[in-house]
């Protein structure tokens, strides 16, 4: 109010004096109010003057000014000599009473008559939209995230187990602080949520948002199932691999090294070969200890080692 008073005097100083030509400019028409979710705007059709910039100034009159202050008008500072054809009057509409609004045009030294809003505007007629919401199932927790619409807004949240609409539960949310916990869910059924905005100063509610349903997601059992499935897959894979390896080695054994029964005479005693292999391994390990053994000595050593 005090700001508006200061503005009143400022505007009075800034605004050009009335001239004889003021009737030449037509008053703004189609003056109307756009009001959604307690945000109010006055709009009007532009006044067109060839080759000149037209500016507009807006004033309002509340019940108090109308009835107790000689029907005086209060200029809206933010909307004095503006070029836009819209004025944000949200701050000025501070009570749920009937307001009158008017706007006039200025172009150079010329000024129009006031164009006045037809009828009064009361903020209780603001159109309220349902809140934007997101329903979340965090494990067994039923959560809801609501759009922050400002301090004047509260939310009435309804939630229920699907099929049990008669046992609907209600939660009034006065302050939107990130995510709101509604309930702990049972595994299985869907849980549904809808919400409406409520504005206490006008005692009005919006319609309800579209219902959103979610189901409990058991994070722990999901993890367990995943773990079980992956270990099962692993075991099957390991078994298959082992089986295939055995099969393959058998095939190779049969195709490359058939276990044919050799005649007795062809049966050579393997020991010397084994021993040679053994010693060659030692040679590989220790290059400096090269030993060349006579075959008789080797046979004797082999017997010593194996027996
Ligand atoms: C007022 O609005 C109507 C319809 O929206 C439009 O036809 C008319 O031209 C407007 N008046 C002015 C002065 O712009
Ligand atoms: C209201 O108008 C009357 C007469 O028109 C005048 O005497 C009075 O001083 C005015 N009051 C204010 C607050 O302007
Ligand atoms: C109008 O004014 C209100 C209150 O100051 C503000 O919250 C809102 O954001 C403004 N709207 C625009 C479009 O600037
Ligand atoms: C709000 O409106 C409801 C009807 O819609 C009414 O029953 C209730 O008494 C009102 N509350 C207040 C505080 O005016």
């Amino acid at each position: 109010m005090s700001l508006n008073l200061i503005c009143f005097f400022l505007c009075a100083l800034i605004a050009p004096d009335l001239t004889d030509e003021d009737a030449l400019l037509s008053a703004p028409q189609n003056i109307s109010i756009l009001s959604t979710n307690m945000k109010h705007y006055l709009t009007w059709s532009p006044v067109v003057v060839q080759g000149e910039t037209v500016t507009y100034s807006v004033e309002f009159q509340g019940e108090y000014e109308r009835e107790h202050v000689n029907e005086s008008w209060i200029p809206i500072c933010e909307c004095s000599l503006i070029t836009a054809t819209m004025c944000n009057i949200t701050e000025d509409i501070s009570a749920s009473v009937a307001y009158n609004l008017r706007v006039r045009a200025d172009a150079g030294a010329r000024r129009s008559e006031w164009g006045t809003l037809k009828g009064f505007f009361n903020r209780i007629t603001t159109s309220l939209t349902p809140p934007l919401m997101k329903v979340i199932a965090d494990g067994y927790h039923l959560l809801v995230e609501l759009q922050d619409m400002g301090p004047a807004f509260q939310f009435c949240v309804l939630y229920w187990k699907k099929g049990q609409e008669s046992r609907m539960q209600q939660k009034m949310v006065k302050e939107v602080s990130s995510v709101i916990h509604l309930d702990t869910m049972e595994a299985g059924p869907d849980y549904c949520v809808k919400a409406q905005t409520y504005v206490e100063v006008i005692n009005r509610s919006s319609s309800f948002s579209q219902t959103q349903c979610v189901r409990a997601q058991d994070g722990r059992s999901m993890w367990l199932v995943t773990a079980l499935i992956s270990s099962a897959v692993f075991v099957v894979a390991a078994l298959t691999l082992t089986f295939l390896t055995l099969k393959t080695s058998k095939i190779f054994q049969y195709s490359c090294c058939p276990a044919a029964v050799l005649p007795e005479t062809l049966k050579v005693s393997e020991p010397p070969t084994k021993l040679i292999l053994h010693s060659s391994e030692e040679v590989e390990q220790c290059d400096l200890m090269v030993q060349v053994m006579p075959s008789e000595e080797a046979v004797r050593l082999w017997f010593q080692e194996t027996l």
Side-chain angles (χ1 to χ4, degrees):
M1 279 297 174
S2 59
L3 189 74
N4 277 317
L5 265 177
I6 294 164
C7 171
F8 179 81
F9 292 115
L10 274 177
C11 294
L13 286 173
I14 296 164
D17 289 327
L18 284 178
T19 66
D20 302 333
E21 296 173 302
D22 64 351
L24 294 175
L25 217 56
S26 63
Q29 286 176 27
N30 288 336
I31 300 162
S32 60
I33 296 272
L34 292 176
S35 176
T36 307
N37 292 330
M38 297 293 276
K39 298 270 194 300
H40 325 292
Y41 306 91
L42 186 77
T43 67
W44 55 91
S45 292
V47 174
V48 181
V49 178
Q50 285 300 322
E52 283 201 77
T53 305
V54 178
T55 60
Y56 307 94
S57 300
V58 179
E59 293 185 350
F60 72 94
Q61 183 184 70
E63 207 172 59
Y64 179 76
E65 291 81 20
R66 198 160 46 248
E67 290 174 7
H68 305 289
V69 201
N70 275 0
E71 298 197 358
S72 65
W73 291 80
I74 298 167
I76 294 175
C77 205
E78 294 79 14
C79 304
S80 286
L81 301 173
I82 56 167
T83 52
T85 58
M86 179 184 273
C87 173
N88 189 347
I89 59 170
T90 308
E91 293 275 301
D92 307 284
I93 308 296
S94 53
S96 299
V97 298
Y99 283 86
N100 206 346
L101 289 129
R102 65 182 190 180
V103 58
R104 76 173 166 204
D106 281 288
R110 293 185 294 163
R111 169 172 285 181
S112 77
E113 294 286 315
W114 288 103
T116 306
L117 179 73
K118 284 187 187 72
F120 295 107
F121 169 65
N122 191 322
R123 68 180 185 183
I124 61 169
T125 61
T126 193
S127 74
L128 297 175
T129 61
L132 292 177
M133 66 163 198
K134 195 170 143 200
V135 179
I136 306 154
D138 182 13
Y140 286 110
H141 300 291
L142 179 61
L143 310 174
V144 67
E145 211 180 312
L146 291 160
Q147 170 197 15
D148 188 357
M149 296 171 81
F153 289 80
Q154 297 178 18
F155 303 92
C156 173
V157 183
L158 296 181
Y159 54 100
W160 64 94
K161 207 191 286 181
K162 203 167 191 172
Q164 297 189 4
E165 280 77 0
S166 55
R167 286 206 264 150
M168 221 173 242
Q169 284 179 287
Q170 182 181 326
K171 186 166 199 152
M172 277 309 292
V173 179
K174 300 211 168 166
E175 271 171 49
V176 176
S177 55
S178 62
V179 178
I180 299 134
H181 183 264
L182 292 176
D183 207 355
T184 303
M185 297 184 281
E186 291 164 21
D190 273 355
Y191 281 74
C192 300
V193 181
K194 65 179 178 180
Q196 64 177 172
T197 51
Y198 173 71
V199 181
E200 199 171 16
V201 292
I202 58 170
N203 191 25
R204 270 191 57 217
S205 296
S206 74
S207 55
F208 276 100
S209 62
Q210 284 217 317
T211 301
Q212 287 175 36
C213 301
V214 291
R215 188 174 293 186
Q217 288 178 331
D218 188 351
R220 223 165 5 138
S221 77
M222 282 302 285
W223 179 85
L224 210 69
V225 165
T226 312
L228 278 174
I229 288 173
S230 19
S231 39
V233 166
F234 177 78
V235 166
V236 167
L239 284 175
T240 312
L241 208 68
T242 313
F243 177 74
L244 280 177
T245 312
L246 283 173
K247 235 355 196 208
T248 316
S249 63
K250 274 259 170 59
I251 289 165
F252 271 102
Q253 197 181 327
Y254 287 133
S255 58
C256 309
C257 331
V261 182
L262 290 171
E264 279 297 310
T265 46
L266 282 177
K267 273 194 179 161
V268 183
S269 59
E270 286 172 63
T273 331
K274 261 212 175 147
L275 190 78
I276 289 157
L277 274 173
H278 180 79
S279 63
S280 78
E281 268 168 32
E282 273 180 359
V283 168
E284 265 173 28
Q285 277 166 19
C286 326
D287 247 349
L288 295 171
M289 289 167 65
V290 178
Q291 293 174 38
V292 180
M293 277 186 261
S295 97
E296 265 177 21
E297 175 83 349
V299 172
R300 197 180 51 80
L301 268 172
W302 178 79
F303 272 107
Q304 270 180 2
E305 264 185 34
T306 45
L307 297 176

